[in-house]
Amino acid sequence: MSWSLDGRILSSVLVTRLRYLGDIVMSTVVAEALREGDPDLDIGYLCEENHAAVLENQPDIARVHRLRAGRRGADAKARAGAGLGDPLAKGTAGMIRELRRCGYDLAVDLFFNPRSAWLLKLAGIPLRIGGTRKTRGRLYTHRVLRSDLRDPSSDFDGVAPGGLGEHLCRLAPLVHVESGLPFFARLAPRYRQGQLMPKVGQRPMGPETLRLMKALGVDPARPFLLLAPNATWPTKEWSAARWRELALLLVREFPWPVVLLEAPGRRDKWDGVAGAIPPARGGVLAPLRLPEALAVAGAAKVLVTVDGGLMHAAVALGTPTLALFGPTDPRIWFPYEGGGPYRVLATAPHCHPCDLHECPEFICMPELSADRVVAEVSRLRESSTDVSEVES
């Protein structure tokens, strides 16, 4: 089986989303969809070095190209975290040479900023799909915008709702050679909503993380609850006081240890949360590099977190996940509720949704109560726990 574009049979495809962690995780459905139509297709992925670890051991991706991370943009400080300094990362010139050596037939750019657009052009990849009407769109051979697709077979919400469909729509020009069907006409009968989900590879905890967990009285082989409060923007944050209240309630209501994964550079903020958790029943875990954070998230029985990269990664790992949403639209950024033990809580006031990073009338997250979160954790626990674990 194989895919074609403009009559050219594709033997290799480069998928690229330079940043951000959550979008990179969501975009793994693109690799899965390509693989479904051609099990022998060679698929590579290009992203910035600080996110590359999330794609290691991803079953549909043969290799990950690590681009040295840029320092520009309003969120540059937030992005400059774990993963920088990867010895395998290349600068722009080195990456162009690396991609040229691979000789990809097609590049699918899911970010289409100037850097990625020029990289793919200068790497000499003959077919390049992007999704922008801006001037740099001329650097692509095909420009695909979701709003331009009118084919009834392009049922994005039926196959992959929200942000998943936004990534998949770039593949619309592809044709499945053996069946003669356009991409979505081929894909839609094979998946219904909730079946095409992001996937990343499981990984074991390193010795140091195991030591830190055991120092908190947590055996990672047994059930524990994980709290991950880290948010890139203030409007996505739930206050430290709320997290402390939640920790108190969880310790009282559940037999499992409670661990809060501390956000980098915010240590003093979580002292109160640590004090709410009795000795040997968990506590605050120091900031971890991305591979170790993924290992802890993959081992958790239930994760409570906010809208961010670790939320998407936990879903892709299969961890029962409760996402606390503020201003952003869960229909776009949490299209997972039909696909497993994944739930979202949002107050949705009159001004919801929005994309504000700071808000003078911030009410959406503050109005979300710890009691509501505990009730939802109970539902997730019931749906993901066997009898032996309850008794333990």
Side-chain angles (χ1 to χ4, degrees), residues 73-91:
D75 61 341
K77 184 178 180 180
R79 290 189 285 110
L84 296 183
D86 189 328
L88 298 177
K90 303 287 196 304

Side-chain angles (χ1 to χ4, degrees), residues 107-262:
V108 182
D109 191 349
L110 306 174
F111 192 46
F112 36 84
N113 78 334
R115 193 181 190 192
S116 61
W118 276 109
L119 267 172
L120 303 180
K121 171 72 173 177
L122 295 173
I125 300 174
L127 298 170
R128 303 177 301 279
I129 298 175
T132 178
R133 289 193 178 93
K134 295 182 179 179
T135 304
R136 61 180 173 272
R138 297 173 185 173
L139 299 171
Y140 300 103
T141 60
H142 297 73
R143 286 189 272 187
V144 180
L145 283 79
R146 182 169 179 167
S147 58
D148 291 343
L149 300 177
R150 299 286 183 259
D151 185 344
S153 67
S154 300
D155 181 13
F156 301 108
D157 288 333
V159 175
L164 300 178
E166 183 64 31
H167 287 95
L168 277 173
C169 77
R170 310 298 165 213
L171 300 181
L174 272 60
V175 173
H176 190 250
V177 175
E178 285 73 19
S179 66
L181 294 173
F183 175 77
F184 274 99
R186 158 78 186 185
L187 197 69
R190 287 164 169 74
Y191 294 96
R192 66 176 188 273
Q193 185 170 334
Q195 287 187 319
L196 189 58
M197 297 283 286
K199 296 181 180 66
V200 299
Q202 293 280 351
R203 65 200 67 221
M205 291 184 203
E208 178 61 14
T209 303
L210 286 170
R211 184 190 68 78
L212 292 171
M213 292 286 280
K214 290 180 179 179
L216 297 176
V218 181
D219 179 355
R222 297 177 66 81
F224 65 94
L225 300 172
L226 180 63
L227 312 181
N230 190 27
T232 302
W233 305 112
T235 51
K236 293 184 178 182
E237 288 188 339
W238 208 38
S239 71
R242 288 290 201 203
W243 286 107
R244 173 182 168 80
E245 184 182 357
L246 176 62
L248 285 166
L249 292 172
L250 292 175
V251 168
R252 187 180 70 192
E253 297 291 330
F254 298 98
W256 300 337
V258 177
V259 176
L260 183 139
L261 180 57
E262 182 184 319

